[in-house]
Each structure stands twice: as structure tokens, then as C-alpha cells.
Amino acid sequence: MLRDRRLILVSNRGPVEYHVTPEGGLQARRGSGGVVTALSTLTNYVDLTWVASAMGEGDRRVAQQAEGGRIKSPIPGQSLYLRYVVTPRRVYHKFYNIFCNPLLWFLQHYMWSSPYTPNVDNSVYDAWEMGYIPVNRSFADAVVDEAQHSSLPPYVMLHDYHLYLAPGMVREALPDALIQHFLHIPWPDPSYWQMLPAFMRSAICESLCASDIVGFQTPRDVRSFLQSCEMFVDRAVVDHTKCTISLDGRETAARCYPISIDVGELRDIASSPRALEYERKISQMLGEKTIVRVDRVEPSKNIVRGFRAYRLLLERHPDLHGRVKFLAFLVPSRTHIRQYQRYLQEVDGLVAEINETYGNENWQPITVFYENNYTQAMAAMKLYDVLLVNSIIDGMNLVAKEGPVVNTRGGIVVLSETAGAYTQLHEGALAVAPADVEGTAQALYQAITASVEERERRANLLVQKVEEEDVINWMQCQMDDMRALAGQPSESQL
């Protein structure tokens, strides 16, 4: 598929971040963020250009020095060109800190308290007009400019909620491009989208319908998107059986591509010397039974209810005191947003209360690690007896897939029914409803007391599912659908 057309991958964060050193030089590091992590494997196999925001001063300096607007990635193993989109800081602030986060993120994770929030006031209107639209325009212009490097129309793969308006802008300039837009987060019910003004939600849906394919994590998201287009785009004709939208003579397919992980790479990380050193240190903190969670500190991850369930477990079962341990590996997230600041304070307060109430000088029920340390988290997941993933709602939640493939103790995953991963992993996981503190406490106890046979049966089911549907399979499914649009045979037909 990629022999004759350029693949242009587009996301807010990119695979490389340049940092200014104390001496004034530039140091390249692997980019961070869920989208980058998920897509990094692709860069090992496919030549492409990755268009992303210049996130800091280092990226901006590199963008200014780039010949023809792009540079070759300096990261070993990455076969790609980088093209940074540079926008004025004030414009990017409106785009990211007012419109994308928290407005869209909170809306798409059902996190608004609708009687009180959000308040779509003049600042939101301004962020749409002076932030979201111009940043999307800048991304579209970068894609169009990059397309000039090939004689044939490109394949354009856009990612996530930051770039809802870019497909329509790219389509206008490149009518023959093959465009896919993939969403890593949930697509809520159309009634929830109605919190936004009609002109915003209609523009978002119309632009996405300029794509050839809109990809989602779960069938639930596909259904919600089709219903949204039916409600918000007057000219759209929706076929719920074929999962397509016809608009202005173009047909857009809504497809489900549940994202996954690179199993081999993950196991390599988990067995690396650095991970083994962390494993030795963490081994000294384990209880007879150890519960682990790995999350960003944000409200959608439901950390507070998870700790409340653990507190209820300790209250109900005094015999577990001193025998069970909860290790939480929490990555501070969006700390400049007040909702996240308050949530972190609530998490801190609850941990302190539980440790004070039930702990003693020899045993603290909870130990929290506040740092972004992926290798340490992998080492911890090798050692869990129970992995708690009780998010309110997630597009996927890759922790639920990472844990089973590195775990060495036949651990059980307690998994929220509203995490995207549940669709694939429900046969091996213990299901909980995210608001059900009582049920989560019961599930934790069931997992802790499960027989060796039960633990191994569930663990094997999870590992088998993740290995069968890994990140290569995720990308191959998308590539096959793009091949079909281009009139080329799929990989399995070659």
C-alpha cells in the first residue's frame, strides 16, 4: 500500500521532543503520551512523515531550522520524518487548555456535572474561533504541504479529539487523498454532545465525515457516532447496518479498531536490567497478596472509588490487615487544570486517611508512587496478584492489556465494564461497574481469595486474547481497509 503513496500520520503530540540543554544545545527524546506510545511501533516498520505540534522551545527551534519544513528523526529505529506545526503560544493555549482540555475531554468521558458544568461562555466561543479552528487549519496546511513530496495523493491518518476539523480542511485541498481519522477516546451518546452549541457539534461531525474511514475503539463508539451524524448533520444519510454515512456524494465508513500493545517490546522492557532492578526493590514492599494500579491522576480513572473499595475491604476483613498491600503507580496529569489539582488533593487525602486508620508502624495499607516511570510500572505489574482497572470510562485502557502479558504471578484483572478493553477481555477479567464501590470491594476479595487454578485460567485467557490482537493486528486491520479503498488487495490476499 505504501510503495507509491506517502503515509502522513498526524497527532497533537509527536514521537520526538527536543529539549534545550543547560548549555543551549538540543537533546532529542522519545515523545510521551498515549497516542505516541500506541503508534511508536508503526515507526519501526513503515516510512512515514509524522506531523505534530511543536510542544516546547526545543521543538520550535528545530522547526525553524528544518529544510523544506521537515527533518529526519534522530531516534534510533525510527524510520520517519518529522514536521512540527508551530502556532502562537496564546493560540495553542486556547486550543488545548480551554477547548480540548478540559471541554472536549470531559465531555467525551461523561465527566461533566451537567446541572453545573460545563458553562459554554464567551471564553469557549473565543477558544473555538481563535484556538481550535486556527490550530486545526495549521495542521491541515502542514499535511497539504507534506503531500507535495509525492506525485500521488497521500494516505493521511489523523488522530484524536484535537483534530476534528482537520479532515474537512485536508479534503478541501486534497480531494483525492485517502483520509482516516482514529479516535483514542470514547464517543459519547449524542444527547451528551448536545451540551455543545449546535454549530460546534455539527462542524465536528461534518468534518469527520470528510474522512474515508473514522475509526473507534469499540462498537459502542461506532453506534454513538452514527447516531450523532444522523442527529446533527441534516444532509447525512446513515446506514446503521453497513455503518456508513453518505454526505455530499461521499461515503464515510465508521469502523471499530480496538488498539493494543506490542507484546514483544513490552516483555523486553519488563525483562531489561533497569526493570529487574525495580522489581527487586518492589519485591520488598509486597504483601502476601498485592493489589496494583497504574494510572494517570485524572478523574476518569476513578482512583478515589478504587481506594474507597479497598478501604471497605479492610473494614470487612480485619484478617487481611498486615497481609494485603496496595501499590499505586500514579502519573500526575494536566496539573495546570484546576479539576485535576482538586482530584489529586482528594486522592492524597484518602490515602492518608486509610493509612492512618488501618496502618501501623510495620504495615501501611497503601504506598503511592507519584512519577512518570514506565519501566518501574512494568516491573510492578509483573508482581501483582490483583490489577485494579476501574475507570469510569476509557477509550481502551492499555494497562489492562499490558499487565497480563508481563505478570508472573497468575494475577487477576478487576476491570471496569466501561473501559474499552472490557469488550475484548471480559472472559478473563472480573467485571465491576465503575460507580459500584461495594461490588468492587467484593471483586477485590474474590480475586485475592481465588484458587490457583482460577487465577491461571483467567490469566491465560487474557494473555491469549492480547497476543492474538496485538498492535500489529490493530494496524494491519486499518491498512487492509485502506487498501480496499485504494482498490488494492489486502495483506491476506497477497
Side-chain angles (χ1 to χ4, degrees), residues 415 421-431 458 462:
L415 182 60
Y422 182 77
T423 302
Q424 294 168 287
L425 304 183
H426 66 276
E427 291 182 354
L430 276 178
R458 289 183 176 275
L462 295 179

Side-chain angles (χ1 to χ4, degrees), residues 253-278:
R255 295 287 180 263
C256 177
Y257 306 112
I259 200 168
S260 196
I261 60 174
D262 186 325
V263 173
E265 182 180 50
L266 194 74
R267 286 175 172 156
D268 286 344
I269 293 171
S271 60
S272 67
R274 186 163 171 246
L276 294 175
E277 180 60 30
Y278 280 124

Side-chain angles (χ1 to χ4, degrees), residues 394-443:
D394 266 321
M396 179 52 60
N397 196 304
L398 293 179
V399 169
K401 295 184 174 184
E402 292 168 334
V405 301
V406 300
N407 185 254
T408 60
R409 297 166 67 98
I412 289 180
V413 177
V414 175
L415 182 60
S416 170
E417 295 170 313
T418 49
Y422 182 77
T423 302
Q424 294 168 287
L425 304 183
H426 66 276
E427 291 182 354
L430 276 178
V432 293
D436 186 4
V437 176
E438 173 69 33
T440 303
Q442 293 177 9

Side-chain angles (χ1 to χ4, degrees), residues 22 29 68 102 419:
R29 302 177 190 168

